[in-house]
Amino acid sequence: VSVMQTGFAFLEAGSVRSKNTTNIIMKNVLDLFIGAIMYFAIGYSFAYGKPGNAFIGHNYFFATNMDENFTYAGWFFQYVFAATASTIVSGAMAERTEFTTYMVYFTFLTGFVYPVVAHWCWSESPCVLFKLQKYILVKPHGLSYIDYAGSGVVHLTGGSAALVGAIALGPRIGRFKPDGTVNDLPGHTVTVAALGGFILFVGFMAFNGGSQLSISNPGDGNVVALSVMNTVLGGASGAIVAMLVYKTTDAIRGEDHYWSLLITINGGLAGMVSMCAGCNDMLPWAAVVIGTIAGLAFMGWHHLMLFCKIDDPLDAVAVHLGGGLAGVLLAPIFVMKGLTSPETQQHVGGIIYGGNYLAFQSFGWNLLGAVAIIGWTVAISTLLFGSMKLLGVLRVSEADELRGLDEIKHGEPAYPIKSYSDQ
Amino acid sequence: VSVMQTGFAFLEAGSVRSKNTTNIIMKNVLDLFIGAIMYFAIGYSFAYGKPGNAFIGHNYFFATNMDENFTYAGWFFQYVFAATASTIVSGAMAERTEFTTYMVYFTFLTGFVYPVVAHWCWSESPCVLFKLQKYILVKPHGLSYIDYAGSGVVHLTGGSAALVGAIALGPRIGRFKPDGTVNDLPGHTVTVAALGGFILFVGFMAFNGGSQLSISNPGDGNVVALSVMNTVLGGASGAIVAMLVYKTTDAIRGEDHYWSLLITINGGLAGMVSMCAGCNDMLPWAAVVIGTIAGLAFMGWHHLMLFCKIDDPLDAVAVHLGGGLAGVLLAPIFVMKGLTSPETQQHVGGIIYGGNYLAFQSFGWNLLGAVAIIGWTVAISTLLFGSMKLLGVLRVSEADELRGLDEIKHGEPAYPIKSYSDQ
Amino acid sequence: VSVMQTGFAFLEAGSVRSKNTTNIIMKNVLDLFIGAIMYFAIGYSFAYGKPGNAFIGHNYFFATNMDENFTYAGWFFQYVFAATASTIVSGAMAERTEFTTYMVYFTFLTGFVYPVVAHWCWSESPCVLFKLQKYILVKPHGLSYIDYAGSGVVHLTGGSAALVGAIALGPRIGRFKPDGTVNDLPGHTVTVAALGGFILFVGFMAFNGGSQLSISNPGDGNVVALSVMNTVLGGASGAIVAMLVYKTTDAIRGEDHYWSLLITINGGLAGMVSMCAGCNDMLPWAAVVIGTIAGLAFMGWHHLMLFCKIDDPLDAVAVHLGGGLAGVLLAPIFVMKGLTSPETQQHVGGIIYGGNYLAFQSFGWNLLGAVAIIGWTVAISTLLFGSMKLLGVLRVSEADELRGLDEIKHGEPAYPIKSYSDQ
């Protein structure tokens, strides 16, 4: 499942200029490895440590003191989720972030920000959301926040932090012309970016299928297959819609209009992100509808970011915040009660299939979840990136940015000229 | 299992010139996504819809009206098969096909041509082949067309359509010199092509292993392992034979003779394609024999295509039609009765192990299947590509072909010069 | 699981100069395919053929004469191990080995050298090590050499042969300056090398998880998950330690000091290699400790190789011999008795958790195993590569080495200039 990380690494590597390639790959390698150490040391403990309070868990530090609630498989899945959430940020902050600063903020995101979100939304401890439940609503039939594989917990968290990071950093030199128009700074190789995209498509299918954790219970195979089918259909809808919107809006404006590969890939990713919330309990037609909306949301966020002059080299915010938010809000509308397995029958049907009082409450919980995730992540990220900016350690110097980070920080240009001579 | 699509994408990307890289990757992305939508909407219905008639199925349109014969896992596997079959075509038609025309023919292939073949050969409905059975032969012990993972249904279908497409398009500009000799137009990166090849090798092992669908039945593990072992051995034989034939024929002719990587990879793919038909029910030595024959068949088709001045940039016809035909015709010779699981005991032994009247009948059914698949696919493809050619929409203009499709159609050159400056 | 081979192929491809890219990929393709044929023909028979003697097995040649001890899954896993062990060698001998000579030595390694090691260490036949046991020690509770997924059998074997090969070949032209200092000959693309590294990370998780062979026994899921978690943590520790050591030692020396991506990746690989021996039966904190030591061992071997003027373009010796030796020697110190499944309860606890007479004996067996593996492999490799060197067939001519092997041997430059024109 660390296939996801490989996908992100090469989507990002292909989408930056050649002078920053080693840098962005290095960050992805460290995401995998610093993430593992942090999640081993404190991350899993904060998220799932039992006992825990409404805000945070506290047990299993350094994988010690384990009891029957700690499973190795559970740790691994959660670690992958945590690394994914934090990786999203490196894309939006590519080509201009100080390397040591990156290591500090990444450590903080994986070790603290994400685990708290996971604790609130996924742990069995009486968490903040459940506590609220007592006061605001009668707790009906175990009703709670619906997010099967992390549209909210993973992608909305990552996307929100990415947005704050990109704003705090400011755009790359030359990204916006003095007259305010956008200057294209294309990545150095579409081939490698597309490779990353394909790996992510495969990864999402495995991720959303694998979120069932144990494949050995009877009936699980069916949930896995439904999740995978819905993930494919959601991605397909998002990709095709984004491709068509991009082509036709430019045509309507009278500009050159193209079939853009990168827009198509990102639209597909947004569609798959939106599937994470409810793909396990939803009919295929609903996946097509949600994927379509996610594709439109992606295009909307894409243009909004450019309009606001926020520079996100990977469109990470549009894909993960856009797609993730769509997923969290739409899942409670379209889910069916107990479509594939008894386990999911605790969910009330969504607004369309359930249609009753409980279904609207369920939507309310997901809305509250989204607000809580965005609020928490934006607040902490603003503190984090803001103080780094004030300290002057967030962004590399102008000279370094122009020359590229690979030679200066890593001593390893991605394509050393001398290794191509005598060819 | 959509690993296969990733493999095709990069095998093709590395095998075209840099000016058409984005274009070919875009086609592979859409294969994945348009394929999903088409297979959701009508493809699966035509193939497996129950009730169906002898020609086509008709139920489950848009995944509605599902009963216990519809499984999500079944849909997913069939969708992957369908996308694979249709993807083969894009390789043979690379670097010169009009993009919108591609979208139309791909939609048609995935939504109609392939599903009909799957209905005939794999659905349980009384299909054309079974109907014929009533009149021609007494139906013995459930005897029918043997094709475990699609040497015929997938690869022969794709290879036949690819052949017709390549003929209809005509060769790329400059592919054949005025004096009739071949002009090499190498792909722009062996590294990426080989990456695709490796991914496909991995994909075939997963594909042929995974075709058992459910791994949870007792005895299934053994079928999976045997299928994988045979796939590896078939690929190995095909690769080594193709490599040696290429090296030695050039040496005998007195020309420069090389250890060609691309020929070796394609030989390996042809060997694996030939394994799809019977790898689940065949001793390993038989896999070596069939793989060897498939490697020779690949080399034969490779030279035949050049001799006929048909331009197939990926050698897709030689690999898939050559390897697929070898697999369909050789499987009934080498299979054993019930080698690994009771389920396969319905197969009579092949000509070598069974050796009786039924075994020769079994061979007859596979021959008939191959003829039916080729006949149907060639007929429909000729209609399809022929009418597109008459309408003048099949091929891009000469100017566009010379300049390359990436900038003109997609606005995204694969390696933008400006992203390499200041390195 | 042949994912591993894909990883090696691209790690190596990116780490050589562009003029030798096709050559190194070709070797990796043949590793997969010649390996399959050799392991089918004789390799598995030598390793696991029953009956066998203390030195070697002899049955199942060409997968015939199979009984209930032969399983297809067992063959496949062993084949992957064999190909991995032999592939390590091609990295250390890159850019200067004669191609036909490579085919001969590879055949010999996969077909004979590795299988004998596997027979000694993993087969159930009374092997040399067990025979010795009778004379040296009373055989206590099935006590024997501990090596779950091949730190010793696979990586120490491969690393030892690689060391001998690199010494026999001598350094590449220009690798060491006349004054004895090191001249950097960087690989031609960090992107591709890193891709290989990522694929290997994924591969190790699958490899170490998958070594449990059958996932369907109760309790196996837990072993798999523990193995994967430990593999990740070991890799993470190795990577971070190697990165920091590289950065700080250069800083202390007053030289330019960098965050090296390639050192980080190789450190991570060394950490994962060291996990193979005992990751199934060890607490996570132990994985962190062993990974850290493996990272240090990698850096030590890295500098030792340069100090001895042995040229290993991939640092294969430092990763596999360094990491493998660390794994074999440290596993018996840190393992716990029966941590996850009854099956492993035959292991006595390691020195830390068991701490008794048996635990120290267990360490003795692993020490003996390491000595036996290194002794056997170095002796046979010296004979093999030494006689090839005397025959003058080991290394290509100076002219060929300068021009690069791709055009001369394969006729396929990796990036043909003419396929980039008109872009």
Side-chain angles (χ1 to χ4, degrees):
Chain A
V1 199
S2 55
V3 170
M4 296 293 284
Q5 199 65 40
T6 309
F8 279 114
F10 294 93
L11 182 63
E12 297 184 7
S15 300
V16 300
R17 288 164 292 175
S18 67
K19 62 185 173 187
N20 297 316
T21 307
T22 302
N23 180 261
I24 200 81
I25 298 177
M26 182 73 169
K27 288 179 184 168
N28 276 280
V29 169
L30 290 180
D31 290 354
L32 203 59
F33 289 147
I34 295 185
I37 298 294
M38 290 311 297
Y39 222 67
F40 160 69
I42 55 174
Y44 189 81
S45 317
F46 287 162
Y48 289 93
K50 268 193 177 180
N53 57 34
F55 173 67
I56 204 164
H58 45 81
N59 196 0
Y60 314 139
F61 293 101
F62 297 91
T64 56
N65 203 19
M66 298 179 286
D67 53 30
E68 72 282 2
N69 292 309
F70 182 99
T71 65
Y72 300 117
W75 182 89
F76 183 69
F77 269 92
Q78 285 302 321
Y79 148 64
V80 173
F81 280 121
T84 301
S86 307
T87 292
I88 292 164
V89 181
S90 65
M93 297 175 70
E95 304 207 83
R96 56 207 194 280
T97 307
E98 186 62 61
F99 187 68
T100 41
T101 304
Y102 149 78
M103 287 198 278
V104 173
Y105 87 70
F106 180 80
T107 301
F108 194 72
L109 286 178
T110 335
F112 182 64
V113 180
Y114 170 81
V116 168
V117 172
H119 181 76
W120 291 358
C121 299
W122 281 345
S123 83
E124 294 169 28
S125 302
C127 74
V128 171
L129 290 180
F130 279 98
K131 279 268 163 99
L132 280 176
Q133 218 169 22
K134 262 207 279 190
Y135 304 105
I136 307 181
L137 297 162
V138 183
K139 188 174 167 187
H141 313 291
L143 187 70
S144 70
Y145 172 76
I146 297 173
D147 193 357
Y148 176 62
S151 283
V153 179
V154 178
H155 297 281
L156 198 49
T157 304
S160 302
L163 177 61
V164 175
I167 293 173
L169 269 174
R172 288 168 292 173
I173 297 169
R175 177 60 168 140
F176 297 101
K177 290 178 195 161
D179 65 357
T181 57
V182 176
N183 181 27
D184 209 21
L185 295 179
H188 75 290
T189 153
V190 168
T191 313
V192 170
L195 174 64
F198 267 98
I199 296 175
L200 282 172
F201 295 147
V202 173
F204 266 108
M205 296 180 207
F207 202 72
N208 287 0
S211 290
Q212 190 61 22
L213 284 181
S214 67
I215 260 180
S216 50
N217 295 336
D220 278 3
N222 215 13
V223 185
V224 170
L226 174 64
S227 302
V228 173
M229 181 176 174
N230 281 340
T231 302
V232 173
L233 287 174
S237 312
I240 292 169
V241 164
M243 176 183 80
L244 293 176
V245 167
Y246 185 83
K247 171 91 176 171
T248 52
T249 50
D250 277 3
I252 289 164
R253 281 191 211 151
E255 296 174 8
D256 286 345
H257 44 101
Y258 296 114
W259 302 101
S260 165
L261 172 59
L262 296 175
I263 289 286
T264 308
I265 288 176
N266 275 332
L269 292 176
M272 290 191 174
V273 165
S274 74
M275 282 296 104
C276 295
C279 63
N280 64 323
D281 212 7
M282 186 181 283
L283 286 173
W285 72 264
V288 172
V289 173
I290 295 181
T292 302
I293 297 173
L296 294 172
F298 162 71
M299 289 307 297
W301 280 93
H302 170 80
H303 287 299
L304 181 65
M305 295 287 285
L306 291 179
F307 181 80
C308 297
K309 302 210 184 331
I310 305 169
D311 183 17
D312 176 354
L314 264 288
D315 260 346
V317 174
V319 168
H320 298 279
L321 202 161
L325 191 56
V328 171
L329 297 183
L330 296 172
I333 300 180
F334 289 94
V335 294
M336 274 182 84
K337 182 170 169 180
L339 182 58
T340 51
S341 76
E343 183 191 340
T344 55
Q345 284 174 2
Q346 56 178 324
H347 295 158
V348 295
I351 288 177
I352 290 177
Y353 286 99
N356 56 10
Y357 164 72
L358 289 177
F360 284 93
Q361 270 202 14
S362 175
F363 178 82
W365 281 115
N366 268 36
L367 183 61
L368 181 63
V371 170
I373 290 170
I374 295 174
W376 163 257
T377 309
V378 167
I380 299 285
S381 300
T382 304
L383 263 175
L384 179 68
F385 293 124
S387 54
M388 282 171 163
K389 188 166 189 176
L390 289 178
L391 291 171
V393 296
L394 191 57
R395 185 161 177 160
V396 298
S397 73
E398 193 168 319
D400 284 6
E401 185 176 341
L402 288 173
R403 192 158 156 228
L405 305 173
D406 288 1
E407 287 191 46
I408 296 168
K409 302 289 179 187
H410 307 285
E412 290 170 335
Y415 310 98
I417 297 290
K418 76 177 198 177
S419 297
Y420 288 83
S421 59
D422 289 317
Q423 186 184 312
Chain B
V1 199
S2 55
V3 171
M4 296 293 284
Q5 199 65 39
T6 309
F8 280 114
F10 294 93
L11 182 63
E12 295 183 9
S15 301
V16 300
R17 287 164 293 175
S18 67
K19 62 186 175 186
N20 296 317
T21 307
T22 302
N23 178 261
I24 200 83
I25 297 177
M26 182 74 168
K27 287 179 184 168
N28 276 279
V29 170
L30 290 180
D31 290 355
L32 203 59
F33 289 146
I34 295 184
I37 298 294
M38 289 312 294
Y39 221 67
F40 160 70
I42 55 173
Y44 190 82
S45 317
F46 287 163
Y48 289 91
K50 269 190 175 180
N53 57 34
F55 173 67
I56 204 163
H58 45 82
N59 196 358
Y60 315 139
F61 293 103
F62 296 90
T64 55
N65 203 18
M66 299 178 287
D67 53 30
E68 72 282 2
N69 292 308
F70 181 99
T71 66
Y72 300 117
W75 182 90
F76 183 70
F77 268 92
Q78 285 303 320
Y79 148 64
V80 173
F81 281 121
T84 300
S86 307
T87 292
I88 292 164
V89 182
S90 64
M93 296 175 71
E95 303 206 84
R96 56 209 195 279
T97 308
E98 186 63 61
F99 187 68
T100 41
T101 304
Y102 148 79
M103 288 197 278
V104 173
Y105 87 68
F106 180 81
T107 301
F108 194 72
L109 286 178
T110 335
F112 181 64
V113 179
Y114 169 81
V116 168
V117 171
H119 181 76
W120 291 359
C121 299
W122 280 346
S123 84
E124 293 167 28
S125 301
C127 75
V128 171
L129 290 179
F130 279 96
K131 278 269 164 99
L132 279 176
Q133 215 170 24
K134 263 207 278 190
Y135 302 104
I136 305 180
L137 298 161
V138 182
K139 187 176 167 184
H141 313 291
L143 189 70
S144 70
Y145 172 75
I146 296 174
D147 194 358
Y148 176 63
S151 282
V153 178
V154 177
H155 297 280
L156 197 49
T157 304
S160 303
L163 177 61
V164 176
I167 293 173
L169 268 174
R172 288 168 292 174
I173 296 168
R175 178 63 170 136
F176 298 100
K177 291 178 194 161
D179 65 358
T181 56
V182 176
N183 182 28
D184 208 20
L185 294 179
H188 75 289
T189 153
V190 167
T191 313
V192 170
L195 174 64
F198 267 96
I199 296 174
L200 282 173
F201 295 147
V202 173
F204 266 109
M205 297 180 206
F207 202 71
N208 287 0
S211 291
Q212 190 61 22
L213 283 183
S214 68
I215 260 180
S216 51
N217 295 336
D220 278 2
N222 215 13
V223 184
V224 169
L226 174 63
S227 302
V228 173
M229 181 176 176
N230 282 341
T231 303
V232 173
L233 287 174
S237 313
I240 292 168
V241 164
M243 176 182 80
L244 293 176
V245 167
Y246 185 83
K247 171 90 176 172
T248 51
T249 49
D250 276 3
I252 289 164
R253 280 190 212 154
E255 294 175 10
D256 287 344
H257 45 101
Y258 296 113
W259 302 102
S260 165
L261 172 60
L262 297 174
I263 288 286
T264 308
I265 288 176
N266 276 331
L269 292 175
M272 291 190 174
V273 165
S274 75
M275 282 296 104
C276 296
C279 62
N280 63 323
D281 212 7
M282 183 181 283
L283 286 174
W285 71 264
V288 173
V289 173
I290 294 181
T292 302
I293 297 172
L296 294 172
F298 162 72
M299 288 309 296
W301 279 93
H302 170 80
H303 287 299
L304 181 65
M305 294 287 285
L306 291 180
F307 181 80
C308 297
K309 302 212 183 330
I310 304 169
D311 183 17
D312 176 354
L314 265 289
D315 259 347
V317 173
V319 167
H320 298 278
L321 202 162
L325 192 56
V328 171
L329 297 183
L330 295 172
I333 299 180
F334 289 94
V335 292
M336 275 181 84
K337 183 171 169 180
L339 182 58
T340 52
S341 78
E343 182 192 338
T344 55
Q345 285 174 2
Q346 58 178 320
H347 295 159
V348 294
I351 288 177
I352 290 178
Y353 286 97
N356 56 10
Y357 164 73
L358 289 178
F360 284 93
Q361 271 201 15
S362 175
F363 178 82
W365 280 116
N366 267 36
L367 183 62
L368 181 62
V371 169
I373 289 170
I374 296 174
W376 161 257
T377 309
V378 167
I380 297 285
S381 300
T382 304
L383 263 174
L384 179 68
F385 293 123
S387 55
M388 282 171 163
K389 186 166 192 175
L390 289 178
L391 290 170
V393 297
L394 191 57
R395 185 162 178 160
V396 298
S397 73
E398 193 169 319
D400 284 6
E401 185 176 339
L402 288 174
R403 188 153 159 233
L405 305 173
D406 288 0
E407 286 190 47
I408 296 168
K409 301 290 178 186
H410 306 285
E412 291 170 335
Y415 310 97
I417 296 289
K418 77 176 196 177
S419 296
Y420 288 84
S421 60
D422 288 317
Q423 185 187 313
Chain C
V1 199
S2 56
V3 170
M4 295 294 283
Q5 199 66 39
T6 309
F8 280 115
F10 294 92
L11 182 63
E12 297 183 8
S15 300
V16 300
R17 287 164 293 176
S18 67
K19 62 186 173 185
N20 297 316
T21 306
T22 302
N23 178 261
I24 200 82
I25 298 177
M26 181 73 168
K27 288 179 183 167
N28 276 280
V29 170
L30 290 180
D31 290 354
L32 203 60
F33 289 147
I34 295 185
I37 298 295
M38 290 312 296
Y39 222 66
F40 160 69
I42 56 174
Y44 191 82
S45 316
F46 287 163
Y48 289 92
K50 271 193 174 180
N53 57 34
F55 174 67
I56 204 164
H58 45 82
N59 196 0
Y60 314 139
F61 294 102
F62 296 90
T64 55
N65 202 20
M66 299 178 286
D67 53 30
E68 72 282 2
N69 292 308
F70 182 99
T71 64
Y72 300 117
W75 182 89
F76 183 70
F77 268 92
Q78 285 302 319
Y79 148 63
V80 173
F81 281 122
T84 300
S86 307
T87 292
I88 292 164
V89 182
S90 65
M93 297 174 70
E95 304 207 82
R96 56 207 194 280
T97 308
E98 185 63 61
F99 187 68
T100 41
T101 304
Y102 149 79
M103 287 197 280
V104 173
Y105 88 68
F106 180 81
T107 301
F108 193 72
L109 286 178
T110 335
F112 181 64
V113 180
Y114 170 81
V116 167
V117 172
H119 181 75
W120 292 358
C121 299
W122 280 345
S123 83
E124 294 169 27
S125 301
C127 74
V128 170
L129 290 179
F130 279 98
K131 278 270 163 95
L132 280 177
Q133 217 168 22
K134 261 207 279 189
Y135 303 105
I136 307 181
L137 298 162
V138 184
K139 187 175 168 186
H141 313 290
L143 188 69
S144 70
Y145 172 76
I146 297 173
D147 194 358
Y148 176 63
S151 283
V153 178
V154 177
H155 297 280
L156 198 50
T157 304
S160 303
L163 177 61
V164 176
I167 292 173
L169 268 173
R172 288 168 292 174
I173 296 169
R175 178 60 168 137
F176 297 100
K177 290 179 195 162
D179 66 358
T181 56
V182 176
N183 182 27
D184 209 22
L185 294 179
H188 76 290
T189 152
V190 167
T191 313
V192 170
L195 174 65
F198 267 97
I199 296 174
L200 282 172
F201 296 146
V202 173
F204 266 108
M205 296 180 208
F207 202 71
N208 287 0
S211 290
Q212 190 61 22
L213 284 181
S214 67
I215 261 181
S216 50
N217 295 336
D220 279 2
N222 215 13
V223 185
V224 169
L226 174 64
S227 302
V228 173
M229 181 175 174
N230 281 341
T231 303
V232 173
L233 287 174
S237 312
I240 292 169
V241 165
M243 176 182 81
L244 293 177
V245 168
Y246 185 83
K247 171 89 177 173
T248 52
T249 51
D250 276 4
I252 289 165
R253 280 191 213 151
E255 295 175 9
D256 286 345
H257 45 100
Y258 296 114
W259 302 102
S260 165
L261 172 60
L262 297 175
I263 289 286
T264 308
I265 289 176
N266 275 331
L269 293 175
M272 291 190 174
V273 165
S274 75
M275 283 295 105
C276 296
C279 62
N280 64 322
D281 211 7
M282 185 180 284
L283 286 174
W285 71 264
V288 172
V289 174
I290 295 181
T292 302
I293 297 172
L296 295 172
F298 162 71
M299 288 308 298
W301 280 93
H302 170 79
H303 286 299
L304 182 65
M305 295 287 285
L306 291 179
F307 181 79
C308 297
K309 300 207 184 333
I310 304 170
D311 183 17
D312 176 353
L314 264 288
D315 260 346
V317 173
V319 168
H320 298 279
L321 201 162
L325 191 56
V328 171
L329 297 184
L330 295 173
I333 299 180
F334 289 93
V335 292
M336 274 182 85
K337 182 171 170 179
L339 183 58
T340 52
S341 77
E343 183 191 339
T344 55
Q345 287 175 0
Q346 56 178 320
H347 296 157
V348 294
I351 288 177
I352 290 177
Y353 285 99
N356 56 9
Y357 164 73
L358 290 177
F360 285 93
Q361 271 202 15
S362 175
F363 178 82
W365 281 116
N366 267 36
L367 183 62
L368 182 63
V371 170
I373 290 170
I374 295 175
W376 162 257
T377 310
V378 167
I380 298 285
S381 301
T382 305
L383 264 174
L384 179 67
F385 292 124
S387 55
M388 282 171 163
K389 188 166 190 173
L390 290 178
L391 291 170
V393 296
L394 191 58
R395 187 162 176 160
V396 297
S397 73
E398 193 168 320
D400 284 6
E401 185 176 340
L402 288 173
R403 191 156 157 228
L405 305 172
D406 288 0
E407 287 191 46
I408 297 168
K409 302 290 178 186
H410 307 284
E412 289 169 336
Y415 310 97
I417 297 289
K418 77 176 197 177
S419 297
Y420 288 83
S421 60
D422 287 317
Q423 186 186 313

